[in-house]
Amino acid sequence: MIQKVGIIGSGISGLSSYYYLRNGINLTTKISPKNNLKINIFEKSNKVGGNIQTKIIQGKNKDEKIIVEEGPRSLRALGRGLNTLEFIKRLGISNDIIFSSANSNGKFVLLDGKPKEIPMNSLFEIIKFSFKHSIVSSILLEPFKKVPTQVKQMDPNWDESVHDFFSRRLGKNMTQTFIEPTILGIYGGDYKNLSIKSTFKRAALLEPFGGLVFGSLFKSKKQKQFELDLDKNEKRLLPSKNELTELFNKDTDKTNVFSFKENGLSRMIQKLKSLIESDALTKLYLSTSIVDIEKDTINGTLKVTDNKGNQYQYDQLISTIPLNQLAPMFKKSDSQLYQLLQSVNYTSIAVINLIYKSNKNVVKIINDKGFGYLVPSKENQSVIGVCFDSNTFPEFVNNNNNNNNNNNNNNNNNNEKDQSIITVMIGGNNGIKDRNDNWIDVTNTSKDKLLDIALKHLDKVLNIESSPDFTNVSIYDNGIPHYNIGHQNLIKEIENHITKNYGTTLLLGGNSIDGVGINDSIHKSKQLINSLKL
């Protein structure tokens, strides 16, 4: 019997859901496609990929191309990244993987108006840095900080902000200087409203066992068992690193950061789209949005109506779009679910790509500054982060058939190059404006103004005065989920409502639930399809 499945959204969550539906989540290499499923995928825009969008720009020479990521720029081969690597292997595109250069390993934060490297290797430099920025006492006193009663009792309803958690454990100075910019880099988030249990879940769960320092160095038997249970649950659907040895052998600089040499992260999207186009039992509807979803009370299926008035009926419906975009589809049929979905918050961010094609001075300025730098709100800058993409992947500015095979060669020849890619991030959650007078509302700012802000920032901070040869400004309105305090309880309430009223006919994927990254999204798709037991 043919089952009909609908997927809303064709970002990486929707496309990976399709793949696992059709091919199963089996970790073995010999997989029989599931041909009893008829799948429809709905995408409101005219292209697939969601926030993963890659531009290919001609370099200074005709045989060169420059790869520019308008959204996410790389993937990490750790944790859920192991699943992504296995996913890529199954797609048959693992030969295209490149790992980042060692030149991008440096970690920088903007302090007193200049990028400062956070020392990682030299004990002397770590001690010197710690004294200079008054964080020695934060580390030494952390084990003696009081743990709230609800935390000690492991109250499942307890939650607090990232700001309050780390301020309590490490002090306000260290939290403002180092924790907040990390949050800005990942979530574009307001750390005074972000949930500690949804963003630093492991740190929150392990606090009752002795804090961040002692809890890491001296583990009780009870803590060890607790961590084993955590790992077992998290790793249940993950492959082992040993199964991916041939891919990790490519990581000669041991950076654990990767992309694709020809078309950046869009390589995954292109491959998945080609699989869909060759699949006779799957249809992709572009420029088609869903306006209404309701349950058929007779047979329990879901009736779906699109913006053109067409109606469909599905045994399972998987939504991978932001929950606030899904909400209006239930406004008529399920007001309670509509209200719950509307309660999930999102953040807007602008990404400004800049390419310098013939400028050795820019290469020289950014060459020793790692992947880039993050900007704490206390610096009162309009910019929240700057990435030097050509440091991370030198292949992206020298991408041709004769010179894209070896990270080390690219890195060693870096001084001879004169092409650079710099990406500037502006915006973030509107809660940031309460402590940063120069915060920018990107949804109400023109692209020309955002570009001007980015260029002036680079001039002021890095003395890059020359104009770029190529610019691109992308604004992601409500583009990143913002896991507010109590987020996990809200998601539980949503999931309980769906289970009670829809069973397994309605499933929620995407990055609105448990992790905002690409790795999280692909892993969530795998969990969803596994739960169906098709």
Side-chain angles (χ1 to χ4, degrees):
M1 179 180 176
I2 295 288
Q3 283 185 269
K4 294 181 180 179
V5 182
I7 299 174
I8 305 175
S10 71
I12 190 60
S13 295
L15 297 179
S16 57
S17 293
Y18 155 76
Y19 182 85
Y20 286 125
L21 272 170
R22 181 63 75 213
N23 298 285
I25 64 156
N26 198 318
L27 303 186
T28 61
T29 55
K30 292 182 179 180
I31 301 161
S32 299
K34 296 182 178 296
N35 293 322
N36 64 327
L37 301 177
K38 185 175 182 180
I39 304 171
N40 289 345
I41 304 170
F42 298 94
E43 170 56 48
K44 69 175 183 179
S45 72
N46 61 359
K47 58 186 176 182
V48 300
N51 289 344
I52 299 178
Q53 299 295 334
T54 309
K55 278 188 182 296
I56 307 298
I57 309 300
Q58 183 179 312
K60 61 178 181 177
N61 300 319
K62 289 183 178 179
D63 64 339
E64 291 180 343
K65 61 181 181 180
I66 297 175
I67 297 174
V68 179
E69 298 287 7
E70 297 181 356
R73 285 166 298 285
S74 62
L75 297 168
R76 295 194 70 83
L78 299 170
R80 293 173 178 175
L82 296 177
N83 178 67
T84 302
L85 283 173
E86 183 211 52
F87 183 66
I88 290 164
K89 184 178 177 180
R90 289 179 64 180
L91 287 175
I93 57 174
S94 55
N95 286 340
D96 298 335
I97 284 179
I98 54 171
F99 280 85
S100 63
S101 164
N103 198 39
S104 64
N105 276 344
K107 305 293 187 292
F108 288 76
V109 174
L110 194 72
L111 297 174
D112 301 321
K114 293 296 178 182
K116 303 290 176 62
E117 185 171 11
I118 302 172
M120 304 296 289
N121 299 318
S122 167
L123 180 60
F124 173 75
E125 291 297 327
I126 292 173
I127 294 172
K128 180 180 173 182
F129 183 87
S130 299
F131 274 106
K132 184 176 181 179
H133 297 284
S134 306
I135 61 175
V136 174
S137 60
S138 298
I139 298 171
L140 294 178
L141 294 176
E142 191 275 337
F144 307 102
K145 295 295 178 71
K146 185 178 179 181
V147 178
T149 302
Q150 287 172 291
V151 174
K152 285 182 180 180
Q153 295 174 347
M154 294 187 166
D155 182 348
N157 294 315
W158 169 261
D159 198 5
E160 62 182 323
S161 71
V162 171
H163 169 271
D164 289 351
F165 176 86
F166 282 106
S167 294
R168 180 162 55 76
R169 300 305 314 174
L170 297 172
K172 289 189 176 181
N173 178 52
M174 190 165 181
T175 301
Q176 289 176 349
T177 306
F178 302 106
I179 302 299
E180 195 224 14
T182 301
I183 286 296
L184 290 173
I186 299 172
Y187 300 92
D190 173 15
Y191 74 153
K192 289 194 173 183
N193 283 312
L194 273 174
S195 158
I196 187 66
K197 288 178 72 173
S198 298
T199 53
F200 289 88
K201 183 178 181 179
R202 196 173 189 89
L205 290 174
L206 293 179
E207 185 186 16
F209 296 102
L212 306 180
V213 177
F214 279 4
S216 298
L217 298 176
F218 309 105
K219 299 181 180 181
S220 66
K221 185 177 179 180
K222 184 179 179 181
Q223 180 182 348
K224 288 178 180 178
Q225 185 58 52
F226 184 78
E227 289 192 48
L228 281 173
D229 293 339
L230 275 180
D231 290 339
K232 183 179 180 181
N233 183 57
E234 176 65 27
K235 294 177 180 179
R236 190 168 55 88
L237 292 176
L238 295 181
S240 69
K241 197 170 181 178
N242 290 336
E243 296 175 66
L244 304 164
T245 302
E246 74 275 20
L247 296 183
F248 279 101
N249 286 340
K250 291 171 172 265
D251 190 9
T252 55
D253 289 330
K254 308 302 179 187
T255 62
N256 287 310
V257 175
F258 69 95
S259 183
F260 299 86
K261 62 187 176 185
E262 290 297 331
N263 293 292
L265 295 181
S266 287
R267 180 70 183 97
M268 286 190 297
I269 304 302
Q270 292 166 350
K271 179 63 178 181
L272 288 162
K273 185 183 179 186
S274 70
L275 292 176
I276 291 168
E277 290 173 341
S278 62
D279 184 345
L281 290 174
T282 297
K283 187 168 183 178
L284 173 63
Y285 294 87
L286 294 176
S287 302
T288 305
S289 56
I290 302 304
V291 296
D292 185 70
I293 301 171
E294 63 175 314
K295 183 178 179 180
D296 188 320
T297 55
I298 297 174
N299 57 26
T301 59
L302 290 176
K303 293 190 291 185
V304 173
T305 306
D306 69 18
N307 58 326
K308 301 163 188 175
N310 300 310
Q311 291 191 327
Y312 314 82
Q313 203 137 351
Y314 295 109
D315 300 296
Q316 266 92 32
L317 183 65
I318 301 171
S319 174
T320 63
I321 61 176
L323 299 185
N324 64 343
Q325 293 181 24
L326 176 65
M329 302 173 198
F330 287 96
K331 190 171 184 179
K332 293 180 181 178
S333 64
D334 191 334
S335 59
Q336 186 178 350
L337 182 57
Y338 166 72
Q339 292 294 339
L340 287 170
L341 296 173
Q342 286 276 66
S343 301
V344 180
N345 289 274
Y346 292 82
T347 285
S348 300
I349 196 165
V351 178
I352 298 91
N353 305 116
L354 310 168
I355 294 178
Y356 300 83
K357 289 186 181 180
S358 299
N359 196 320
K360 291 184 178 180
N361 183 53
V362 174
V363 174
K364 184 178 179 181
I365 289 171
I366 71 174
N367 186 51
D368 63 348
K369 292 181 176 59
F371 81 97
Y373 56 87
L374 299 171
V375 185
S377 291
K378 67 179 186 177
E379 290 289 314
N380 277 311
Q381 299 278 340
S382 298
V383 167
I384 63 174
V386 176
C387 293
F388 305 130
D389 299 327
S390 47
N391 282 357
T392 305
F393 297 110
E395 298 89 342
F396 283 9
V397 290
N398 193 20
N399 198 308
N400 59 46
N401 292 329
N402 298 317
N403 193 6
N404 58 16
N405 296 318
N406 191 293
N407 280 353
N408 291 329
N409 288 341
N410 281 313
N411 190 38
N412 292 338
N413 293 332
N414 200 49
N415 290 331
E416 301 173 12
K417 294 182 179 179
D418 56 6
Q419 299 188 111
S420 305
I421 309 171
I422 299 177
T423 298
V424 179
M425 278 80 68
I426 298 174
N429 191 268
N430 59 13
I432 298 168
K433 66 185 178 184
D434 295 336
R435 55 188 173 279
N436 183 351
D437 294 336
N438 291 311
W439 173 82
I440 300 294
D441 179 359
V442 298
T443 60
N444 289 305
T445 306
S446 71
K447 289 187 175 183
D448 286 342
K449 177 63 175 177
L450 291 170
L451 176 60
D452 183 61
I453 291 169
L455 294 175
K456 285 180 177 177
H457 174 88
L458 295 181
D459 183 8
K460 180 180 178 181
V461 174
L462 297 173
N463 296 317
I464 296 178
E465 300 177 351
S466 48
S467 299
D469 298 286
F470 169 85
T471 64
N472 182 72
V473 180
S474 303
I475 300 173
Y476 295 94
D477 187 4
N478 289 328
I480 306 175
H482 197 265
Y483 300 157
N484 281 5
I485 299 168
H487 175 77
Q488 289 188 355
N489 285 344
L490 173 60
I491 294 301
K492 282 181 183 177
E493 192 173 356
I494 291 171
E495 289 177 341
N496 288 340
H497 178 90
I498 289 174
T499 299
K500 179 180 178 181
N501 294 279
Y502 302 93
T504 60
T505 58
L506 177 63
L507 298 171
L508 302 184
N511 64 356
S512 298
I513 298 168
D514 179 29
V516 300
I518 295 173
N519 290 337
D520 302 310
S521 297
I522 296 173
H523 186 255
K524 182 61 180 177
S525 296
K526 189 183 213 179
Q527 288 179 318
L528 286 182
I529 306 312
N530 181 60
S531 70
L532 288 176
K533 308 297 181 186
L534 295 173

